[in-house]
Amino acid sequence: MSTKDRLIEGLQQKSVQVAVLGMGYVGLPLAVVFAEAGFKVIGVDPDSRKIEALNKGVSYIQDVPTEKVAKLVKSGHLKATMDFSTLKDVAAVSICVPTPLRKTGDPDMSYILSATEQLAKYMHPGMVVVLESTTYPGTTREILLPMLGDEKGLKVGEDWFLAFSPERVDPGREDWTTINTPKVMGGITPACSEVATAWYAGAIQTVHTVSSAEAAEMAKLLENTFRMINIGMVNELAIMCERLGVDVWEVIDAAASKPFGFMKFTPGPGLGGHCIPIDPLYLSWKMKALNYNARFIDLASEINTNMPRYVVGRVLDALNDRSRALKGSNVLVLGAAYKPDIDDIRESPALDVIGLLQQKGAQVQYHDPYISHLKTHDDQEMDSVTDLMKAVREADVVVIVTSHKGYDYPAILEAAKFVFDSRNALGKLGKDNPKVVRL
Ligand SMILES: NC(=O)c1ccc[n+]([C@@H]2O[C@H](COP(=O)([O-])OP(=O)(O)OC[C@H]3O[C@@H](n4cnc5c(N)ncnc54)[C@H](O)[C@@H]3O)[C@@H](O)[C@H]2O)c1
């Protein structure tokens, strides 16, 4: 029996150990899905707090219930460690480490490099490795292949197997989760695709196999670039509508009544989260290295990046119309998470809006039921106000940045002196209401 066939058999029978490197928003749900499918899973992460919590059966990710983790830890299907040497007994490894940007806007590959370096020490024949972290096309072949295979004298597609499979998790979403969202899989060789697909198909409902790792890397960037550009387009539409004196929300709803050929995107105070503002820049960075300028990405990025400044400018104008200066005004920012009903503040436009309001001399407070504490861009610590309605009554303006569903918007509107609604959270209540200005 070949190494490939033996590995596929072990994966199909779930008799081999699997590991997930990086137990964050992506890695923990994936580890849980593998464990629930019957694999023995080891989560490896250098963060001791995460490891301690998991081994106690406690989840720290909103979408993963603690009861689930506790059950899997108790049954021995899931364990966590900071010790990378456990990888010597593992046959399948999925890498889910962060891929942020550096301050300069270039890809920060340090987490992929350090995880790969650690894994390289324990590589052995009969392993399959899948990279899940979003990255530029070429990463799997240019970085992982030499470090894990060529430099160790292991022949890819024969002794070991390597593929890329982009994560598509949408935090807070309940209908499409890790288990039922189709997974794209692209191997370095056809044998790599076959082994990696056999592994994932044992836990995930649909695996869509493509012909190369690069096609899988690019598919992820297409998905996120598509969103980023459409959001940029609709943000510019909001700016144009304001100049024209047309209600952008009414225009979007009208266009969305077309049953085909249109997909609804809505404007807002800027992009947030770990994916949409960042991933397309991995592609444009790579293209620059090939002397090509990714113009759509650059343009959308410029418009989206400017949205917090645009929103603060509109708040300033609206206060001016009410004979007030922003300087010295009490501003309550409602919602700090990057999108509704989640506890994730990474890259949230709320941080930009708060910073810009403070620069203009406003006294800023915020409220978010999911984010009790935050650090501003200039490292200032802030706590969410505890008495929401008191803060609403005392604010000169309430700026809605994140439209959490749990807010009692009619009560907030009733109590507020004036609301700037950057998300159309108030819907019909906000239209033609003298107390409300909408984006
Ligand atoms: N969060 C999302 O919604 C989402 C969606 C799709 C894709 N992604 C992509 O998935 C990847 C992971 O994102 P995330 O949101 O899970 O990040 P995260 O920060 O929540 O988790 C990453 C984990 O990796 C750990 N880590 C760091 N260095 C490590 C190493 N050398 N070895 C092992 N673990 C290490 C960290 O301690 C952390 O726990 C990123 O590339 C991201 O772009 C994220």
Side-chain angles (χ1 to χ4, degrees):
M1 209 188 220
S2 69
T3 306
K4 182 187 86 175
D5 292 341
R6 224 179 2 258
L7 180 53
I8 289 179
E9 190 180 271
L11 290 163
Q12 283 171 343
Q13 291 175 352
K14 294 174 183 159
S15 57
V16 293
Q17 284 233 24
V18 312
V20 176
L21 302 191
M23 295 296 277
Y25 283 91
V26 167
L28 178 56
L30 184 69
V32 164
V33 164
F34 282 138
E36 284 192 310
F39 287 104
K40 290 266 166 61
V41 184
I42 304 175
V44 188
D45 198 296
D47 185 339
S48 59
R49 285 167 311 173
K50 286 186 178 144
I51 299 306
E52 273 166 35
L54 288 177
N55 286 330
K56 282 189 199 140
V58 175
S59 170
Y60 41 82
I61 301 279
Q62 202 185 335
D63 291 343
V64 179
T66 277
E67 305 81 67
K68 227 180 224 187
V69 174
K71 205 170 135 204
L72 294 167
V73 169
K74 201 166 165 218
S75 70
H77 282 89
L78 180 64
K79 60 182 179 183
T81 181
M82 291 166 66
D83 180 5
F84 283 79
S85 73
T86 50
L87 296 172
K88 67 182 185 311
D89 302 318
V90 161
V93 181
S94 177
I95 303 177
C96 306
V97 297
T99 43
L101 291 175
R102 295 189 184 285
K103 284 220 160 70
T104 52
D106 293 347
D108 177 356
M109 302 302 284
S110 60
Y111 298 95
I112 290 194
L113 285 170
S114 74
T116 308
E117 263 166 32
Q118 293 283 358
L119 172 59
K121 293 184 202 159
Y122 306 103
M123 283 300 289
H124 52 81
M127 275 183 106
V128 52
V129 177
V130 173
L131 177 63
E132 293 234 0
S133 303
T134 309
T135 182
Y136 60 82
T139 305
T140 312
R141 196 179 299 273
E142 290 160 15
I143 294 186
L144 274 74
L145 179 58
M147 287 173 76
L148 298 178
D150 301 351
E151 290 165 17
K152 317 287 299 178
L154 295 172
K155 191 157 173 29
V156 76
E158 286 179 22
D159 302 328
W160 75 294
F161 307 88
L162 175 62
F164 182 83
S165 180
E167 180 46 55
R168 287 169 151 174
V169 70
D170 184 10
R173 185 178 272 276
E174 287 171 8
D175 49 355
W176 294 105
T177 60
T178 304
I179 196 163
N180 67 350
T181 304
K183 205 85 177 78
V184 172
M185 182 70 74
I188 291 289
T189 69
C192 294
S193 295
E194 195 186 336
V195 175
T197 300
W199 171 21
Y200 274 60
I204 284 163
Q205 286 173 8
T206 312
V207 181
H208 180 100
T209 308
V210 293
S211 68
S212 66
E214 287 76 8
E217 290 165 336
M218 196 63 177
K220 172 71 183 179
L221 295 174
L222 167 60
E223 290 164 20
N224 285 358
T225 303
F226 171 83
R227 277 193 70 73
M228 183 225 210
I229 287 172
N230 278 288
I231 293 169
M233 196 264 289
V234 84
N235 277 336
E236 191 178 40
L237 186 86
I239 295 169
M240 294 192 288
C241 280
E242 192 234 334
R243 292 232 180 157
L244 291 165
V246 177
D247 180 344
V248 68
W249 304 99
E250 188 179 5
V251 171
I252 293 167
D253 281 345
S257 69
K258 186 179 175 189
F260 50 87
F262 183 80
M263 188 180 278
K264 184 172 171 176
F265 287 86
T266 49
L271 294 181
H274 197 251
C275 290
I276 311 296
I278 292 176
D279 301 349
L281 302 182
Y282 268 70
L283 178 56
S284 59
W285 175 85
K286 175 74 181 179
M287 295 318 298
K288 272 198 190 91
L290 299 174
N291 287 324
Y292 185 89
N293 211 9
R295 287 162 289 170
F296 274 107
I297 295 176
D298 284 353
L299 180 59
S301 181
E302 187 189 316
I303 293 168
N304 291 329
T305 307
N306 200 42
M307 286 311 287
R309 196 169 285 278
Y310 177 73
V311 162
V312 170
R314 292 279 308 274
V315 172
L316 194 145
D317 289 346
L319 282 171
N320 187 55
D321 291 344
R322 285 159 180 77
S323 306
R324 279 204 73 97
L326 180 52
K327 189 170 185 169
S329 286
N330 291 321
V331 182
L332 176 67
V333 168
L334 211 57
Y338 81 84
K339 68 174 191 174
D341 312 319
I342 63 160
D343 62 359
D344 192 346
I345 193 164
R346 290 181 296 177
E347 310 291 327
S348 175
L351 296 171
D352 298 301
V353 170
I354 289 171
L356 289 164
L357 287 166
Q358 287 176 331
Q359 274 174 27
K360 295 276 177 209
Q363 303 296 320
V364 187
Q365 290 189 300
Y366 87 95
H367 179 271
D368 192 306
Y370 298 92
I371 313 276
S372 57
H373 183 82
L374 62 78
K375 214 179 201 182
T376 61
H377 285 318
D378 54 5
D379 284 340
Q380 186 195 327
E381 309 275 346
M382 285 177 89
D383 288 325
S384 170
V385 295
T386 43
D387 188 338
L388 169 62
M389 293 315 290
K390 180 170 177 279
V392 169
R393 277 191 300 275
E394 288 173 0
D396 296 306
V397 52
V398 174
V399 180
I400 301 177
V401 170
T402 314
S403 48
H404 291 307
K405 284 198 202 83
Y407 280 132
D408 182 348
Y409 289 109
I412 288 168
L413 183 55
E414 172 75 31
K417 296 187 186 95
F418 159 52
V419 178
F420 185 88
D421 186 356
S422 74
R423 297 280 188 185
N424 196 22
L426 299 172
K428 285 196 183 100
L429 292 176
K431 192 169 165 59
D432 302 325
N433 185 326
K435 256 176 138 179
V436 180
V437 170
R438 301 197 288 181
L439 181 68

